[in-house]
């Protein structure tokens, strides 16, 4: 299994809603990442988890809350988002020994209304 | 300040010919470089990488060249195929940076049949 899967594919939420994005990989990777990508821009790193521990938070607002319940799963909890948070949210993982080779999921297209 | 730049937003090439995608960087601390390919509605897919101790890495139809003195790398695709049509992102990383990738803005490659 060489896939990173993400659910849902699309999400529309209001500014007062609480929702979660999910990411799963079964490649045995111990580093997992959340990125945000706006249209025609490169992915921007949000969070890095290494061995289920948060190792990097790129000054992301607290309305985004990551969680890594186990080595295969990564969640991103969303609350009180703003319309400017609408973007493609990408999850990635990387293998031990090849740390710079990140494998991306298809992303969740989030629209905040 | 963009540390990784892809100055050509788009490139069109005839099928069977060579595609050359270029990338420049400004941070001399970068020591690992990667190319990713992205189809619409999918996450980026890792293609090929190169360490700063090398100047060339080849994998099938894909070759990456690194010119450290010019802070320039390029991706050559030979021969180009219509299925290669996608957005190509160049990315760079610094050793000890907890595996953070800095992405360029991408080049849309179109291979014409």
């Amino acid at each position: 299994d060489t896939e990173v899967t993400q659910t849902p594919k699309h999400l529309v939420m209001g500014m007062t809603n609480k929702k979660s994005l999910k990411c799963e990989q079964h490649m045995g990777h111990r580093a997992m990442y959340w990125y945000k990508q706006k249209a025609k821009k490169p992915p921007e790193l949000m969070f890095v988890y290494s061995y289920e521990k948060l190792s990097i938070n790129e000054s992301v607002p607290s309305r985004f809350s990551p969680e890594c319940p186990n080595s295969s799963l990564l969640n991103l909890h969303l609350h009180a988002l703003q319309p400017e948070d609408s973007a493609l949210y990408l999850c990635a993982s990387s293998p031990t020994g090849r740390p710079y080779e990140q494998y991306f999921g298809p992303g969740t297209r989030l629209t905040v209304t | 300040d963009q540390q990784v730049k892809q100055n050509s937003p788009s490139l069109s090439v005839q099928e069977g010919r060579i595609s050359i995608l270029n990338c420049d960087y400004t941070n001399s601390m970068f020591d690992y470089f990667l190319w990713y390919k992205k189809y619409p509605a999918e996450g980026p897919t890792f293609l090929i990488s190169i360490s700063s101790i090398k100047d060339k890495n080849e994998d099938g139809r894909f070759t990456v060249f690194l010119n450290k003195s010019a802070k320039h790398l390029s991706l050559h695709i030979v021969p180009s195929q219509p299925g290669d049509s996608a957005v190509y992102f160049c990315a760079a990383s610094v050793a000890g940076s907890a595996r953070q990738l800095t992405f360029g803005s991408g080049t849309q490659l179109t291979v014409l049949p």
Side-chain angles (χ1 to χ4, degrees):
Chain A
D1 186 355
T2 57
E3 260 195 324
V4 176
T5 58
Q6 290 186 244
T7 55
K9 282 190 171 26
H10 301 275
L11 178 62
V12 179
M13 59 186 291
M15 290 189 284
T16 56
N17 290 159
K18 281 186 182 181
K19 296 284 185 184
S20 296
L21 310 185
K22 295 184 185 307
C23 173
E24 192 166 1
Q25 56 88 14
H26 295 287
M27 295 179 278
H29 294 173
R30 302 308 296 271
M32 295 184 77
Y33 312 77
W34 280 115
Y35 285 86
K36 174 181 175 180
Q37 185 176 23
K38 302 280 262 185
K40 299 193 187 302
K41 298 283 189 185
E44 294 176 9
L45 183 67
M46 298 174 73
F47 302 105
V48 180
Y49 272 84
S50 180
Y51 290 85
E52 294 92 71
K53 287 188 174 19
L54 182 65
S55 61
I56 292 178
N57 175 341
E58 287 288 348
S59 303
V60 179
S62 59
R63 57 186 185 268
F64 295 91
S65 174
E67 179 198 17
C68 191
N70 61 55
S71 59
S72 301
L73 292 173
L74 188 65
N75 298 322
L76 186 62
H77 303 296
L78 314 172
H79 173 56
L81 294 194
Q82 305 295 311
E84 59 265 27
D85 296 323
S86 299
L88 180 69
Y89 287 84
L90 293 162
C91 173
S93 68
S94 67
T96 308
R98 295 199 306 277
Y100 309 116
E101 292 173 11
Q102 295 182 16
Y103 293 79
F104 285 81
T108 294
R109 175 69 63 190
L110 174 68
T111 303
V112 181
T113 60
Chain B
D1 177 33
Q2 255 189 306
Q3 297 186 63
V4 178
K5 296 178 186 177
Q6 293 177 256
N7 292 318
S8 299
S10 63
L11 174 69
S12 290
V13 170
Q14 208 66 39
E15 181 179 5
R17 306 296 288 266
I18 183 171
S19 296
I20 301 176
L21 296 104
N22 294 303
C23 179
D24 296 296
Y25 61 95
T26 57
N27 187 344
S28 28
M29 299 296 290
F30 287 143
D31 61 356
Y32 204 85
F33 304 89
L34 309 93
W35 285 94
Y36 282 84
K37 176 170 76 172
K38 185 179 186 303
Y39 294 118
E42 293 183 14
T45 303
F46 168 73
L47 257 185
I48 192 168
S49 62
I50 187 167
S51 161
S52 61
I53 62 172
K54 294 186 173 182
D55 54 20
K56 177 182 174 182
N57 188 26
E58 193 172 350
D59 183 2
R61 296 185 298 114
F62 302 91
T63 304
V64 57
F65 294 92
L66 176 63
N67 182 334
K68 285 188 290 296
S69 60
K71 295 193 177 66
H72 177 83
L73 67 155
S74 60
L75 174 69
H76 292 210
I77 306 174
V78 184
S80 301
Q81 300 173 354
D84 296 328
S85 297
V87 176
Y88 288 79
F89 289 100
C90 166
S93 186
V94 177
S97 66
R99 293 164 264 187
Q100 291 185 68
L101 291 176
T102 302
F103 285 88
S105 53
T107 296
Q108 170 70 57
L109 173 66
T110 303
V111 180
L112 305 167

